[in-house]
Amino acid sequence: MKSFILILLGIIVALLIVGGAVAYSFMNELGVNMENIDSNTAEKIKDKVSNVASSESSSSASQDSDIVSEVVKFNAQNGEGYYREVTYKDGGFRQYDADSGKLIGSSYSSDQANLPTME
């Protein structure tokens, strides 16, 4: 019985170590530097997600029913900030700034005039 408990504890410790390594890798992949994490980081992320959820979309009502997914992603190209990517049934997508809710990217030709310039 004692050896069974020791084996069980060993498995739990191994799972915690592997889980920590996976979490560390996942956070680095998302662009969250472990050295820069402070006590407000989780609160900031939660605020950004709630802002995105409450912001209004500029898509039409017919396209709203065609939404396949909405995902908040780290803006790795800019190196900071977050954006919300909305994917539609037809395979197209739109990207909105998480803070302002403004359209910043789109696969639709009709949206190209509304995108910010890259200059």
Side-chain angles (χ1 to χ4, degrees), residues 69 83-88 90-96 103-108 111-112:
S69 69
Y83 65 94
R84 178 173 53 106
E85 185 172 86
V86 181
T87 306
Y88 299 94
D90 64 0
F93 66 89
R94 287 192 173 102
Q95 297 168 332
Y96 301 93
L103 184 67
I104 59 171
S106 176
S107 64
Y108 296 104
D111 290 338
Q112 299 307 307

Side-chain angles (χ1 to χ4, degrees), residues 23-41:
Y24 181 81
S25 173
F26 182 70
M27 294 297 278
N28 277 338
E29 196 172 307
L30 288 177
V32 177
N33 296 325
M34 296 309 213
E35 300 84 34
N36 298 336
I37 290 182
D38 60 1
S39 61
N40 294 328
T41 302

Side-chain angles (χ1 to χ4, degrees), residues 1-99:
M1 183 71 172
K2 185 176 180 180
S3 62
F4 176 74
I5 292 174
L6 289 175
I7 292 173
L8 186 61
L9 285 175
I11 291 172
I12 291 172
V13 168
L15 287 174
L16 287 174
I17 291 171
V18 170
V22 169
Y24 181 81
S25 173
F26 182 70
M27 294 297 278
N28 277 338
E29 196 172 307
L30 288 177
V32 177
N33 296 325
M34 296 309 213
E35 300 84 34
N36 298 336
I37 290 182
D38 60 1
S39 61
N40 294 328
T41 302
E43 194 64 36
K44 289 177 188 175
I45 292 172
K46 190 169 94 173
D47 288 343
K48 288 184 184 292
V49 170
S50 66
N51 286 343
V52 169
S54 64
S55 68
E56 292 183 6
S57 169
S58 66
S59 61
S60 66
S62 66
Q63 286 180 328
D64 283 344
S65 63
D66 292 340
I67 292 175
V68 174
S69 69
E70 289 188 42
V71 181
V72 176
K73 297 181 178 181
F74 177 71
N75 191 347
Q77 183 177 10
N78 193 30
E80 63 182 3
Y82 293 85
Y83 65 94
R84 178 173 53 106
E85 185 172 86
V86 181
T87 306
Y88 299 94
K89 285 182 184 177
D90 64 0
F93 66 89
R94 287 192 173 102
Q95 297 168 332
Y96 301 93
D97 182 67
D99 293 328

